[in-house]
Amino acid sequence: MCVRVLLAEDTELVRKAIRALLSEREDITLVGDAATLSELIRKTEELRPDVVIFDLHMANGETERLCAGSKLLAISFANDDEAKAAAARIGAAKLLDKMELANELIPAILGLAPERAAFNQLDGDAQRAQP
């Protein structure tokens, strides 16, 4: 089983970069993306992802928990106390700096869905052990 990820980012260039990072992984499946908050809410209900990567800027002052049933991974160019507080208000498990996504995104996703990552590791080990 792969970690099912939904990407919510309003900048196409950033979405493309994240898609490229995720496409290299067999243990992560990008199930969809959203460019607006309303699209994110609809797709979260429809697709039921394990993890939602969410551009914190898209919250637009929203203070309610977003993406019930999914773990929320907030991303932002701002990583100050105000951004951390905003991420906490919407229920984000973690806030990542967009400038560090190449190094931090994959471990953060796998860390939010350890049961899926562990299953993939066991499955991969079993396949390698077969003659």
Side-chain angles (χ1 to χ4, degrees):
M1 284 202 243
C2 291
V3 180
R4 296 171 39 83
V5 174
L6 175 63
L7 170 60
E9 167 60 55
D10 59 356
T11 304
E12 179 62 27
L13 185 60
V14 176
R15 279 198 313 270
K16 283 182 180 180
I18 292 172
R19 278 190 215 115
L21 282 172
L22 299 180
S23 71
E24 298 174 359
R25 301 294 302 209
E26 293 181 12
D27 51 355
I28 298 172
T29 299
L30 183 62
V31 296
D33 58 40
T36 65
L37 186 58
S38 60
E39 187 179 15
L40 165 66
I41 292 167
R42 181 180 55 78
K43 286 190 174 184
T44 300
E45 292 171 0
E46 175 186 318
L47 300 171
R48 304 279 185 213
D50 301 308
V51 176
V52 173
I53 301 169
F54 179 72
D55 177 6
L56 191 57
H57 173 74
M58 287 175 59
N60 199 23
E62 178 68 47
T63 59
E64 298 297 316
R65 290 185 60 86
L66 299 174
C67 309
S70 301
K71 295 186 179 158
L72 189 60
L73 180 59
I75 59 173
S76 178
F77 284 116
N79 202 6
D80 55 15
D81 289 340
E82 185 177 328
K84 290 174 184 172
R89 279 193 302 273
I90 62 169
K94 193 165 191 165
L95 172 64
L96 298 180
D97 186 326
K98 285 184 182 180
M99 298 300 290
E100 301 297 325
L101 291 181
N103 297 320
E104 296 179 358
L105 184 61
I106 300 302
I109 291 170
L110 296 177
L112 291 178
E115 64 286 350
R116 298 253 188 199
F119 180 84
N120 288 333
Q121 181 63 41
L122 291 173
D123 188 45
D125 291 346
Q127 288 178 2
R128 284 189 293 277
Q130 292 178 357

